[in-house]
Amino acid sequence: MVSDSTINASIPNVSKDFGKKKRANRSAKLKQCKLDARREQWLSQVKNKNCKEEVNVPVVGGGKFNGPAIVTWKKAAQCCKVLEVDNPGVEEISHHFSDSESSPSNSPTNALVGASDANQGHNSNSNLSPGRETAEGLNFEGQLPICENVDAQLEKSKSVGVGILGRGSENCKAWRPDDAFRPQSLPNLAKQHSFPTGAERLQGFGNPWVRNNMTPRVPTSCPICCEDLDLTDSSFLPCPCGFHLCLFCHKRILEEDSRCPGCRKEYASEPVEKEASVSGGSLTIRLARSCSMSSSRV
Amino acid sequence: MMNTGSSSGGRTLWASTTSGSGKRIQKELKELDCPPLSSAGPIAYSINHWLATFLGSPGTPYEGGIFFLDILFPNEYPFKPPKVMFKTRIYHCNVDSSGNVYLDILKDGWSPALTISQVLLAVRSIFLTPDPYNALVPSIAHLYQVDRKRHDELAAEWTHRFAK
């Protein structure tokens, strides 16, 4: 319920800022977007069948870490409460749910989730004790899978969240217009604002976490002549220091002072074998290539 | 300020940019990262001829002076180092009277992987800390080591005479 107020507060603020800057027709357009977005949000909160989707979105969106995780829990709890209205038996689900939530876990997310436990308690702890054991025993064909689904996905989002800790820090506020947790049925605002992050994600190398594990990174162009490196060039590694350059520049350097531009050591007369002794077996394909290159060159 | 270089006009030697170094120099210009209190850029007609400007750092005898340097990229660049010349006279043990500057990375220490930004940084560093052990003008180096105060006075005087 706390998150609801933040949703409703944040969207008008953002569009108000825009409205000041833009012309009248532009602001009218934005107003329409705002109204649409708001209506969609209300619909998604009220509808029962949206419950599962609400929970699914964060996992699909890649799991921002801090605030959004808490919001997810609250939203899930809300959904379960909505279910209670329709089906009295579902009460146990929310018990089961809050039980699993407050149980100790070794994930660091739990500390953050723990902050929201107090609020959660207001929602569902009042009639907690008698139903807890029956939650496992009873078999709700329709609803229990949802809960298991929730648990499984929360586990998943925890593990994702740990990995993403580094890059998710910039937007840790809940339900901002550029938040990936927003339901994907809000294209107008969401797409406008989240485009850069989306493009970054699409690049493949955009994830700094992955990039840090790649050592050394192969440049796309020769650092000496600035021409693009083709496949042969980028797999050509004449010096154990890992300095990449194109074959033309390498040949030219061999003709002159024959020192590696990266480390200033002389290129070994047989760079291939040097590389083999240093780098080991994982570079066999590369070795074969530079073998053929050097034999054709020499 | 870049285009006020006195020697830019009649220099036809560097007028053509047909060498293979053009792309590299273009890229360096695009990604140029000048050290503080300095700037650099090509003079008209040729991208192989740059002018760099250094302001004397506060706290040094060169404070208040404006020093111009010519940077000439040979056609073999980056396999050969750029030529850096002081156009403004300076009292400095690593700069001789005709403006040649001693820098290791512009001679034997050159590597094709070095960029002009790094060269500018090296020039900046000799402004701050002269290197008397690799001096082009031994008398200034000697004075720098023996009588630092007198050296600084002379350097400040030269700065006032030639670089303001």
Side-chain angles (χ1 to χ4, degrees):
Chain A
M1 292 307 158
V2 179
S3 59
D4 285 347
S5 63
T6 56
I7 294 163
N8 295 334
S10 67
I11 290 172
N13 279 343
V14 169
S15 29
K16 213 199 287 174
D17 287 343
F18 273 145
K20 279 176 188 169
K21 288 171 191 169
K22 306 291 178 181
R23 299 265 174 253
N25 55 351
R26 183 102 175 109
S27 73
K29 217 182 215 173
L30 276 170
K31 219 170 206 173
Q32 186 58 42
C33 293
K34 181 182 74 179
L35 286 173
D36 286 347
R38 219 179 198 177
R39 196 179 58 209
E40 292 245 32
Q41 243 163 18
W42 276 110
L43 285 175
S44 65
Q45 278 162 17
V46 172
K47 275 185 184 172
N48 289 352
K49 58 183 178 182
N50 280 359
C51 174
K52 199 175 168 185
E53 289 172 11
E54 288 282 333
V55 180
N56 272 341
V57 167
V59 181
V60 173
K64 292 290 190 299
F65 191 58
N66 274 347
I70 297 169
V71 171
T72 315
W73 280 96
K74 288 181 180 170
K75 290 225 152 272
Q78 281 169 20
C79 294
C80 283
K81 281 202 74 106
V82 172
L83 284 174
E84 281 176 41
V85 178
D86 291 339
N87 185 359
V90 189
E91 214 173 280
E92 264 70 20
I93 293 174
S94 74
H95 295 161
H96 173 72
F97 187 64
S98 61
D99 185 29
S100 70
E101 179 192 356
S102 58
S103 68
S105 161
N106 49 7
S107 165
T109 320
N110 208 38
L112 290 164
V113 172
S116 68
D117 276 350
N119 295 335
Q120 298 287 325
H122 286 299
N123 290 339
S124 54
N125 270 355
S126 54
N127 46 4
L128 178 73
S129 43
R132 194 187 290 180
E133 281 77 14
T134 56
E136 278 82 6
L138 285 174
N139 212 358
F140 302 103
E141 271 81 18
Q143 276 77 16
L144 199 52
I146 294 179
C147 269
E148 285 173 354
N149 199 9
V150 166
D151 281 350
Q153 295 199 343
L154 280 167
E155 284 302 316
K156 220 163 137 191
S157 72
K158 277 176 195 171
S159 58
V160 171
V162 172
I164 278 178
L165 227 171
R167 75 169 169 166
S169 56
E170 74 271 12
N171 43 6
C172 55
K173 286 180 189 160
W175 291 104
R176 289 183 55 192
D178 55 343
D179 201 328
F181 282 73
R182 284 173 66 96
Q184 310 223 331
S185 55
L186 306 174
N188 293 332
L189 284 172
K191 268 190 183 168
Q192 268 179 10
H193 290 282
S194 67
F195 176 68
T197 50
E200 195 179 80
R201 207 170 284 157
L202 279 177
Q203 276 180 355
F205 293 110
N207 188 352
W209 197 59
V210 172
R211 190 193 290 162
N212 288 342
N213 290 339
M214 294 163 58
T215 51
R217 202 160 58 89
V218 180
T220 54
S221 64
C222 173
I224 308 301
C225 64
C226 300
E227 300 289 343
D228 290 340
L229 290 179
D230 64 15
L231 193 63
T232 320
D233 291 329
S234 53
S235 59
F236 173 59
L237 197 62
C239 181
C241 78
F243 187 86
H244 278 273
L245 75 172
C246 72
L247 288 161
F248 292 104
C249 291
H250 179 249
K251 180 173 183 296
R252 181 147 185 189
I253 288 171
L254 282 183
E255 286 168 355
E256 292 179 10
D257 67 349
S258 146
R259 287 184 304 166
C260 169
C263 62
R264 294 199 180 110
K265 285 184 190 143
E266 289 230 357
Y267 278 129
S269 53
E270 287 294 328
V272 176
E273 290 183 8
K274 179 101 177 176
E275 185 187 314
S277 65
V278 171
S279 307
S282 65
L283 295 169
T284 35
I285 298 170
R286 191 177 288 168
L287 291 181
R289 274 174 200 267
S290 35
C291 240
S292 65
M293 291 320 297
S294 67
S295 60
S296 67
R297 191 185 65 238
V298 171
Chain B
M1 193 155 68
M2 290 291 96
N3 291 329
T4 58
S6 56
S7 63
S8 63
R11 200 176 282 270
T12 52
L13 180 62
W14 302 98
S16 83
T17 57
T18 51
S19 70
S21 61
K23 190 168 184 176
R24 159 82 184 237
I25 300 172
Q26 288 276 7
K27 191 177 179 223
E28 287 198 34
L29 180 61
K30 207 164 69 182
E31 297 171 359
L32 186 65
D33 180 23
C34 287
L37 298 177
S38 67
S39 66
I43 307 177
Y45 302 119
S46 168
I47 199 169
N48 291 27
H49 184 190
W50 288 25
L51 185 75
T53 312
F54 282 81
L55 303 182
S57 305
T60 67
Y62 309 107
E63 179 177 354
I66 303 172
F67 300 90
F68 293 100
L69 286 85
D70 254 357
I71 300 173
L72 298 175
F73 294 94
N75 285 332
E76 296 84 16
Y77 184 82
F79 300 100
K80 290 275 188 291
K83 292 182 172 60
V84 177
M85 298 268 285
F86 270 78
K87 303 304 286 182
T88 307
R89 292 206 67 182
I90 182 172
Y91 189 84
H92 194 293
C93 62
N94 300 118
V95 184
D96 69 12
S97 58
S98 51
N100 296 308
V101 51
Y102 176 83
L103 272 178
D104 180 49
I105 62 163
L106 294 178
K107 301 279 187 322
D108 299 333
W110 174 252
S111 152
L114 288 170
T115 64
I116 204 66
S117 298
Q118 287 158 302
V119 171
L120 292 174
L121 200 65
V123 173
R124 177 93 248 159
S125 78
I126 64 157
F127 260 106
L128 294 171
T129 52
D131 178 12
Y133 299 101
N134 294 297
L136 283 182
V137 188
S139 61
I140 300 177
H142 180 72
L143 193 64
Y144 179 81
Q145 288 176 304
V146 173
D147 189 353
R148 177 72 186 273
K149 188 160 171 280
R150 178 72 188 137
H151 168 274
D152 285 359
E153 278 173 12
L154 279 173
E157 190 188 321
W158 279 48
T159 304
H160 188 71
R161 274 171 63 192
F162 299 113
K164 282 188 178 172

Short mmCIF file of all heavy atoms in Angstrom, two decimals, chain A residues 191-217:
data_model
loop_
_atom_site.label_atom_id
_atom_site.label_comp_id
_atom_site.label_asym_id
_atom_site.label_seq_id
_atom_site.Cartn_x
_atom_site.Cartn_y
_atom_site.Cartn_z
N LYS A 191 8.73 3.17 -22.32
CA LYS A 191 9.65 3.02 -23.43
C LYS A 191 10.48 4.28 -23.63
O LYS A 191 11.65 4.22 -23.91
CB LYS A 191 8.89 2.71 -24.72
CG LYS A 191 8.75 1.22 -24.91
CD LYS A 191 8.22 0.90 -26.27
CE LYS A 191 8.02 -0.60 -26.41
NZ LYS A 191 7.26 -0.94 -27.59
N GLN A 192 9.84 5.42 -23.48
CA GLN A 192 10.58 6.66 -23.63
C GLN A 192 11.77 6.72 -22.68
O GLN A 192 12.86 7.08 -23.04
CB GLN A 192 9.68 7.84 -23.33
CG GLN A 192 9.00 8.40 -24.56
CD GLN A 192 8.11 9.55 -24.20
OE1 GLN A 192 8.15 10.03 -23.07
NE2 GLN A 192 7.31 9.99 -25.13
N HIS A 193 11.48 6.36 -21.44
CA HIS A 193 12.49 6.62 -20.42
C HIS A 193 13.50 5.51 -20.29
O HIS A 193 14.63 5.75 -19.92
CB HIS A 193 11.81 6.83 -19.07
CG HIS A 193 11.06 8.11 -19.02
ND1 HIS A 193 11.68 9.32 -18.82
CD2 HIS A 193 9.74 8.37 -19.18
CE1 HIS A 193 10.78 10.28 -18.84
NE2 HIS A 193 9.59 9.73 -19.06
N SER A 194 13.10 4.30 -20.60
CA SER A 194 14.02 3.20 -20.35
C SER A 194 14.80 2.84 -21.60
O SER A 194 15.50 1.84 -21.60
CB SER A 194 13.26 1.98 -19.86
OG SER A 194 12.44 1.50 -20.89
N PHE A 195 14.71 3.63 -22.64
CA PHE A 195 15.39 3.24 -23.88
C PHE A 195 16.89 3.07 -23.73
O PHE A 195 17.44 2.07 -24.16
CB PHE A 195 15.08 4.26 -24.97
CG PHE A 195 15.80 3.99 -26.25
CD1 PHE A 195 15.49 2.87 -27.00
CD2 PHE A 195 16.82 4.81 -26.67
CE1 PHE A 195 16.17 2.60 -28.16
CE2 PHE A 195 17.50 4.55 -27.83
CZ PHE A 195 17.18 3.44 -28.58
N PRO A 196 17.60 4.01 -23.09
CA PRO A 196 19.05 3.84 -23.01
C PRO A 196 19.48 2.55 -22.33
O PRO A 196 20.35 1.85 -22.80
CB PRO A 196 19.51 5.06 -22.21
CG PRO A 196 18.41 6.03 -22.34
CD PRO A 196 17.15 5.23 -22.47
N THR A 197 18.81 2.25 -21.21
CA THR A 197 19.21 1.03 -20.50
C THR A 197 18.88 -0.19 -21.35
O THR A 197 19.61 -1.16 -21.37
CB THR A 197 18.50 0.92 -19.16
OG1 THR A 197 17.11 1.13 -19.38
CG2 THR A 197 19.03 1.93 -18.18
N GLY A 198 17.76 -0.10 -22.07
CA GLY A 198 17.41 -1.23 -22.92
C GLY A 198 18.44 -1.46 -24.00
O GLY A 198 18.86 -2.58 -24.26
N ALA A 199 18.88 -0.35 -24.59
CA ALA A 199 19.87 -0.47 -25.66
C ALA A 199 21.18 -1.02 -25.10
O ALA A 199 21.85 -1.83 -25.72
CB ALA A 199 20.13 0.89 -26.28
N GLU A 200 21.49 -0.58 -23.92
CA GLU A 200 22.72 -1.05 -23.30
C GLU A 200 22.67 -2.55 -23.09
O GLU A 200 23.64 -3.26 -23.33
CB GLU A 200 22.87 -0.34 -21.95
CG GLU A 200 24.22 -0.42 -21.35
CD GLU A 200 24.26 0.33 -20.04
OE1 GLU A 200 23.80 -0.23 -19.04
OE2 GLU A 200 24.72 1.46 -20.02
N ARG A 201 21.49 -3.01 -22.68
CA ARG A 201 21.35 -4.43 -22.41
C ARG A 201 21.44 -5.24 -23.69
O ARG A 201 21.93 -6.34 -23.70
CB ARG A 201 20.01 -4.65 -21.71
CG ARG A 201 19.99 -5.86 -20.83
CD ARG A 201 18.72 -5.85 -20.02
NE ARG A 201 18.78 -4.89 -18.95
CZ ARG A 201 17.68 -4.37 -18.39
NH1 ARG A 201 16.50 -4.69 -18.82
NH2 ARG A 201 17.80 -3.52 -17.41
N LEU A 202 20.92 -4.63 -24.77
CA LEU A 202 20.89 -5.36 -26.03
C LEU A 202 22.28 -5.56 -26.60
O LEU A 202 22.51 -6.46 -27.37
CB LEU A 202 20.05 -4.60 -27.05
CG LEU A 202 18.55 -4.80 -26.93
CD1 LEU A 202 17.83 -3.94 -27.95
CD2 LEU A 202 18.20 -6.26 -27.14
N GLN A 203 23.22 -4.71 -26.23
CA GLN A 203 24.53 -4.75 -26.87
C GLN A 203 25.29 -6.03 -26.59
O GLN A 203 26.20 -6.37 -27.32
CB GLN A 203 25.38 -3.58 -26.40
CG GLN A 203 25.09 -2.31 -27.19
CD GLN A 203 25.92 -1.18 -26.70
OE1 GLN A 203 26.64 -1.34 -25.70
NE2 GLN A 203 25.85 -0.05 -27.34
N GLY A 204 24.95 -6.72 -25.56
CA GLY A 204 25.65 -7.96 -25.28
C GLY A 204 26.89 -7.72 -24.45
O GLY A 204 27.06 -8.33 -23.41
N PHE A 205 27.73 -6.78 -24.88
CA PHE A 205 28.88 -6.42 -24.07
C PHE A 205 28.53 -5.33 -23.08
O PHE A 205 29.37 -4.81 -22.40
CB PHE A 205 30.04 -5.96 -24.95
CG PHE A 205 30.59 -7.05 -25.81
CD1 PHE A 205 30.39 -7.05 -27.17
CD2 PHE A 205 31.29 -8.09 -25.22
CE1 PHE A 205 30.89 -8.06 -27.95
CE2 PHE A 205 31.79 -9.10 -26.01
CZ PHE A 205 31.58 -9.09 -27.37
N GLY A 206 27.26 -4.93 -23.07
CA GLY A 206 26.85 -3.83 -22.22
C GLY A 206 26.91 -4.16 -20.75
O GLY A 206 26.89 -3.26 -19.91
N ASN A 207 26.98 -5.40 -20.42
CA ASN A 207 26.98 -5.77 -19.01
C ASN A 207 28.40 -5.69 -18.46
O ASN A 207 29.25 -6.47 -18.84
CB ASN A 207 26.45 -7.19 -18.88
CG ASN A 207 26.25 -7.58 -17.45
OD1 ASN A 207 26.65 -6.84 -16.54
ND2 ASN A 207 25.65 -8.72 -17.24
N PRO A 208 28.65 -4.73 -17.59
CA PRO A 208 30.01 -4.57 -17.09
C PRO A 208 30.48 -5.77 -16.28
O PRO A 208 31.66 -6.04 -16.18
CB PRO A 208 29.92 -3.32 -16.21
CG PRO A 208 28.48 -3.22 -15.85
CD PRO A 208 27.71 -3.80 -17.00
N TRP A 209 29.52 -6.46 -15.73
CA TRP A 209 29.87 -7.63 -14.92
C TRP A 209 30.52 -8.69 -15.78
O TRP A 209 31.48 -9.34 -15.41
CB TRP A 209 28.59 -8.16 -14.29
CG TRP A 209 28.84 -9.07 -13.16
CD1 TRP A 209 29.52 -8.80 -12.02
CD2 TRP A 209 28.41 -10.42 -13.06
NE1 TRP A 209 29.52 -9.88 -11.21
CE2 TRP A 209 28.85 -10.90 -11.82
CE3 TRP A 209 27.69 -11.25 -13.90
CZ2 TRP A 209 28.58 -12.19 -11.41
CZ3 TRP A 209 27.43 -12.54 -13.49
CH2 TRP A 209 27.88 -13.00 -12.25
N VAL A 210 29.95 -8.85 -16.97
CA VAL A 210 30.53 -9.83 -17.89
C VAL A 210 31.85 -9.32 -18.42
O VAL A 210 32.82 -10.03 -18.51
CB VAL A 210 29.54 -10.08 -19.05
CG1 VAL A 210 30.20 -10.94 -20.10
CG2 VAL A 210 28.28 -10.74 -18.53
N ARG A 211 31.88 -8.02 -18.73
CA ARG A 211 33.07 -7.48 -19.38
C ARG A 211 34.29 -7.62 -18.48
O ARG A 211 35.39 -7.83 -18.93
CB ARG A 211 32.85 -6.02 -19.73
CG ARG A 211 33.93 -5.46 -20.60
CD ARG A 211 33.85 -3.97 -20.67
NE ARG A 211 32.70 -3.54 -21.43
CZ ARG A 211 32.22 -2.31 -21.34
NH1 ARG A 211 32.78 -1.43 -20.56
NH2 ARG A 211 31.17 -1.97 -22.03
N ASN A 212 34.06 -7.47 -17.17
CA ASN A 212 35.18 -7.54 -16.26
C ASN A 212 35.84 -8.90 -16.27
O ASN A 212 37.01 -9.03 -15.93
CB ASN A 212 34.71 -7.21 -14.84
CG ASN A 212 34.40 -5.74 -14.72
OD1 ASN A 212 34.82 -4.95 -15.55
ND2 ASN A 212 33.65 -5.39 -13.70
N ASN A 213 35.06 -9.91 -16.65
CA ASN A 213 35.64 -11.24 -16.64
C ASN A 213 36.44 -11.53 -17.90
O ASN A 213 37.14 -12.52 -17.97
CB ASN A 213 34.53 -12.29 -16.49
CG ASN A 213 33.93 -12.22 -15.12
OD1 ASN A 213 34.56 -11.69 -14.21
ND2 ASN A 213 32.72 -12.72 -14.97
N MET A 214 36.29 -10.69 -18.92
CA MET A 214 37.01 -10.93 -20.16
C MET A 214 38.35 -10.22 -20.10
O MET A 214 38.41 -8.99 -20.12
CB MET A 214 36.21 -10.41 -21.34
CG MET A 214 34.93 -11.15 -21.57
SD MET A 214 33.84 -10.22 -22.63
CE MET A 214 34.87 -10.05 -24.06
N THR A 215 39.41 -10.97 -20.01
CA THR A 215 40.73 -10.34 -19.99
C THR A 215 41.63 -11.02 -21.00
O THR A 215 41.77 -12.23 -20.97
CB THR A 215 41.36 -10.48 -18.60
OG1 THR A 215 41.28 -11.85 -18.23
CG2 THR A 215 40.69 -9.60 -17.60
N PRO A 216 42.32 -10.29 -21.86
CA PRO A 216 42.11 -8.88 -22.12
C PRO A 216 41.03 -8.71 -23.18
O PRO A 216 40.76 -9.64 -23.94
CB PRO A 216 43.46 -8.44 -22.65
CG PRO A 216 43.98 -9.66 -23.35
CD PRO A 216 43.42 -10.86 -22.64
N ARG A 217 40.46 -7.55 -23.31
CA ARG A 217 39.41 -7.31 -24.28
C ARG A 217 40.04 -7.05 -25.64
O ARG A 217 40.99 -6.28 -25.76
CB ARG A 217 38.57 -6.12 -23.84
CG ARG A 217 37.19 -6.09 -24.44
CD ARG A 217 36.31 -5.21 -23.59
NE ARG A 217 36.85 -3.87 -23.48
CZ ARG A 217 36.56 -2.91 -24.35
NH1 ARG A 217 35.75 -3.14 -25.35
NH2 ARG A 217 37.05 -1.71 -24.20
#
